Amino acid sequence: MRNLRILIGGAMTLIVIVTALVALVWTPYGPTAIDILHRLAAPSAAHPFGTDAFGRDTLSMIMAGAENSIIVALAAVGLGAVLGIPAGLLAAARGGWTEELLMRGADLTFAFPALLTAVMITALRGPGAYTVMIAIGVFTAPVLARVTRTAAGVIWVQDYARAARALGRGRGAVTRVHILPNILSVLTVQITIQLSLAILAEAGLSFVGLGAQPPAPSWGRMLNDAQTYIYTAPFLTLFPGLAIALAVLGLNMLGDGLRDAMDLRRRRRA
Amino acid sequence: MGAVTHYLLRRCATLVAALFFASIIIFIVLQILPGDPALVILGPDAQADTLKALRHQLGLDLPVWLRYLHWIGGVLTGHLGRSTAYDSSIANLILQRIAVTVPLAIFAMLLASLLAIPVGAWAAARRGAVDGSIMAVTQIGIAVPDFWLALLLILIFAVHVTWFPAGGFPGWWHGTGAALKALVLPVVALAVPQAAILARVTRGAVLDVGLRDYLRTARAKGLREGAILWRHAMPNALIPVTTLMGLQFSFLLAGTIIIENVFTLPGLGSLLFQAIGQRDLILVQDLVLLFAGLVILINFLVDVLNAVIDPRLAQNLGQGLQ
């Protein structure tokens, strides 16, 4: 059951990744190719997912959109990791007021959901993929900082970490040799979950026009365009949403499955 | 002084500090980083004397700390300034719009809790196939974006059968019935994904407090299972559930911004987007502070609630803070 979840989640994630990779070299039609004669065409053999108001092939747009979602999610979570993980490690290693300061800072960042940060950045420099990356990254950082801090705290009180300190190893060295390798699995699970949240957030921000700008394809904006034609071409609302749900569901199942598998192993060891 | 009182006092201090630092961050991002807010508002083609006049009108020729004090002093006394785009007092604009957003968020939170807590507890009590299918459904529920669910709801309940409006809001003064009807689809769209998360956490929390042991003991005493679940297991499982509900309410508030956009509801979220579109920087600044302040305040209230539910927690947290 547990392995089944990892398997299904992994397979869904793989489908999305492979789709994005294929879109790099091939899509059935150009994702921005306009064909006004065949606009708002219902799904058919020529266009399995139909065409939008400009006659663009929905399948091709979804394939190119996968690329956009993955790049934005990776960049955003990467930014969150670069900010959050060192902060968490530092807080765990130093304790005292350093920890207090870093963790209260993390708490404060929680008051700014990705949407608010994106709104502020947009007010300054306009919308775009970078705006979304920064906004989601800023929101991811405190989550990763907190998870890192908690996991590292558990390792710091272990005998081997204490012994290394007693033998005169510096805090940085202990962090590198003992702490980081032992929390990598916890971080991997959390990063998987954050990637799914990032894809969801990117879709939401693009939906309200703060994300990737036309004609760059994005699942969120496709849904926004679809709303205009909800009476005449309802099928347009279906496929981009399914793509988002597939990507998010796959990553979530993968993350949850990995977490359970890890908990089980830890319990067996104990 | 009792541990709970001590904890609550400390928590009040961190509340004030958090609100202060949030306002500083917003001020820096929207007033200092752009260099010249007047230029942001008027755009690059603005005339030099128009720029100068606006700078004076906005008080940009004053020192930075004085500008911050002016803004925050105004916020604290209810003088939020005037919206340049609407040419109306910002306080009035916010009061009009809040009457849509806050009911929307509260109804969604209520619906999510009413759906999730019984279902989560039921899954924990039954285990087996019931548990398995509830977990599978909630897993899918988490993955469905609320704005997509909103579109699907419009497609079914406003296009196929016309039970509810596809958007718009008649206002509370034209009768509560029509207003509530306009809120049904937005509330469902917001609530369902949150309910899925909440159900999973409730299930986990009820399992963690050792529901099986409660059930065994109580069955031996001849009590009914439902009574055991609600009277004994749930109160102990409440802490993680209320904590999550606090976080979720912040997500819901942010979610209303997007959902109001889908249903063209005249709430704070749509006001925020109009403010960005019209480069009304002061209005953006006040609205972002309002949203961030609400999130901070709600999480404060949840911490207070948790300390009241379980005083042991306050004791532990108090020690942790020292």
Side-chain angles (χ1 to χ4, degrees):
Chain A
M1 175 64 196
R2 197 164 290 112
N3 288 331
L4 190 69
R5 225 169 2 151
I6 298 178
L7 220 62
I8 298 175
M12 288 175 169
T13 311
L14 206 63
I15 291 175
V16 178
I17 294 173
V18 169
T19 307
L21 288 176
V22 170
L24 281 176
V25 289
W26 177 81
T27 47
Y29 299 82
T32 55
I34 291 173
D35 179 6
I36 222 72
L37 285 177
H38 297 100
R39 67 192 294 265
L40 300 176
S44 64
H47 299 281
F49 291 177
T51 62
D52 75 354
F54 294 102
R56 292 176 296 190
D57 178 52
T58 307
L59 175 61
S60 304
M61 288 175 78
I62 284 179
M63 289 176 71
E67 207 183 306
N68 169 66
S69 280
I70 289 177
I71 290 172
V72 171
L74 283 177
V77 175
L79 176 65
V82 166
L83 294 173
I85 295 175
L89 287 173
L90 189 66
R94 297 215 62 100
W97 65 265
T98 316
E99 178 179 17
E100 189 74 9
L101 201 68
L102 284 168
M103 290 300 113
R104 291 294 86 78
D107 285 350
L108 189 59
T109 330
F110 274 120
F112 294 93
L115 194 72
L116 278 193
T117 314
V119 159
M120 287 203 287
I121 302 174
T122 306
L124 294 185
R125 8 190 92 240
Y130 287 105
T131 301
V132 170
M133 285 177 199
I134 295 170
I136 301 174
V138 167
F139 190 65
T140 309
V143 180
L144 287 177
R146 205 179 272 190
V147 170
T148 307
R149 160 68 193 88
T150 310
V154 174
I155 310 293
W156 269 106
V157 296
Q158 303 290 319
D159 289 339
Y160 55 87
R162 289 188 175 185
R165 278 293 283 156
L167 288 171
R169 288 277 203 127
R171 289 198 176 98
V174 176
T175 299
R176 223 172 18 254
V177 178
H178 294 295
I179 310 294
L180 197 54
N182 278 304
I183 64 169
L184 273 184
S185 50
V186 177
L187 288 181
T188 310
V189 169
Q190 194 60 43
I191 283 175
T192 314
I193 305 282
Q194 293 306 129
L195 283 173
S196 83
L197 290 176
I199 288 180
L200 208 52
E202 192 279 333
L205 292 172
S206 304
F207 179 77
V208 288
L210 299 180
Q213 293 301 298
S218 90
W219 294 341
R221 230 207 23 264
M222 289 176 74
L223 281 177
N224 192 352
D225 295 343
Q227 194 184 355
T228 317
Y229 301 97
I230 200 161
Y231 289 92
T232 43
F235 55 87
L236 286 177
T237 47
L238 201 59
F239 299 108
L242 281 175
I244 299 167
L246 179 78
V248 175
L249 184 61
L251 282 165
N252 269 338
M253 285 179 80
L254 188 61
D256 285 355
L258 287 174
R259 173 156 38 207
D260 284 359
M262 261 168 40
D263 283 350
L264 196 69
R265 210 171 29 173
R266 198 173 306 136
R267 233 174 287 144
R268 279 207 193 116
R269 229 187 302 159
Chain B
M1 194 163 47
V4 175
T5 328
H6 190 104
Y7 168 74
L8 290 182
L9 281 178
R10 286 192 72 106
R11 194 62 189 75
C12 283
T14 51
L15 168 73
V16 175
L19 289 172
F20 170 70
F21 282 112
S23 72
I24 292 276
I25 291 173
I26 295 166
F27 184 77
I28 289 175
V29 172
L30 291 174
Q31 288 285 325
I32 313 291
L33 288 187
D36 187 356
L39 197 64
V40 174
I41 292 170
L42 292 175
D45 304 325
Q47 301 284 326
D49 47 342
T50 340
L51 269 174
K52 201 172 165 212
L54 185 65
R55 272 191 210 117
H56 182 71
Q57 192 198 329
L58 295 176
L60 296 178
D61 37 12
L62 298 171
V64 168
W65 61 272
L66 204 59
R67 276 164 57 193
Y68 173 76
L69 283 184
H70 266 297
W71 175 51
I72 214 68
V75 168
L76 290 177
T77 53
H79 298 289
L80 297 173
R82 288 188 77 76
S83 153
T84 41
Y86 285 90
D87 195 30
S88 145
S89 127
I90 291 181
N92 272 343
L93 275 178
I94 288 180
L95 277 181
Q96 284 166 19
R97 303 302 190 99
I98 218 166
V100 176
T101 301
V102 167
L104 181 61
I106 289 177
F107 287 146
M109 196 69 238
L110 275 177
L111 180 62
S113 318
L114 287 177
L115 284 173
I117 295 177
V119 165
W122 190 42
R126 276 283 171 277
R127 304 308 305 265
V130 171
D131 190 22
S133 26
I134 289 176
M135 289 300 276
V137 169
T138 53
Q139 183 99 60
I140 294 170
I142 294 175
V144 171
D146 49 14
F147 56 89
W148 184 46
L149 183 59
L151 291 182
L152 295 180
L153 288 172
I154 293 177
L155 201 57
I156 299 169
F157 294 106
V159 177
H160 270 279
V161 292
T162 47
W163 292 354
F164 297 101
F169 187 71
W172 293 106
W173 49 91
H174 289 300
T176 330
L180 285 177
K181 208 171 168 188
L183 288 183
V184 169
L185 295 185
V187 164
V188 173
L190 274 171
V192 167
Q194 301 300 331
I197 302 173
L198 194 58
R200 292 173 83 87
V201 170
T202 306
R203 170 187 175 274
V206 172
L207 284 179
D208 278 350
V209 296
L211 179 70
R212 317 291 286 171
D213 299 335
Y214 279 107
L215 288 178
R216 201 181 318 117
T217 318
R219 240 183 254 123
K221 283 163 66 182
L223 292 171
R224 271 185 39 246
E225 277 188 19
I228 303 152
L229 182 63
W230 292 110
R231 210 147 321 130
H232 299 280
M234 270 321 274
N236 284 301
L238 264 181
I239 299 281
V241 176
T242 47
T243 307
L244 179 76
M245 280 167 71
L247 277 177
Q248 283 193 306
F249 202 78
S250 354
F251 280 117
L252 276 181
L253 271 176
T256 55
I257 300 178
I258 295 182
I259 291 297
E260 281 173 13
N261 202 51
V262 180
F263 290 95
T264 51
L265 297 175
L268 291 173
S270 45
L271 185 64
L272 186 57
F273 278 109
Q274 285 151 8
I276 299 171
Q278 289 152 341
R279 295 176 165 278
D280 194 339
L281 221 51
I282 318 288
L283 186 52
V284 173
Q285 193 174 322
D286 285 343
L287 284 172
V288 172
L289 181 68
L290 181 66
F291 275 109
L294 278 174
V295 172
I296 292 172
L297 199 67
I298 288 158
N299 285 299
F300 166 77
L301 290 177
V302 167
D303 281 354
V304 170
L305 187 67
N306 282 346
V308 174
I309 296 177
D310 190 352
R312 280 170 305 174
L313 192 81
Q315 220 157 359
N316 292 337
L317 285 177
Q319 280 157 8
L321 282 170
Q322 275 149 19

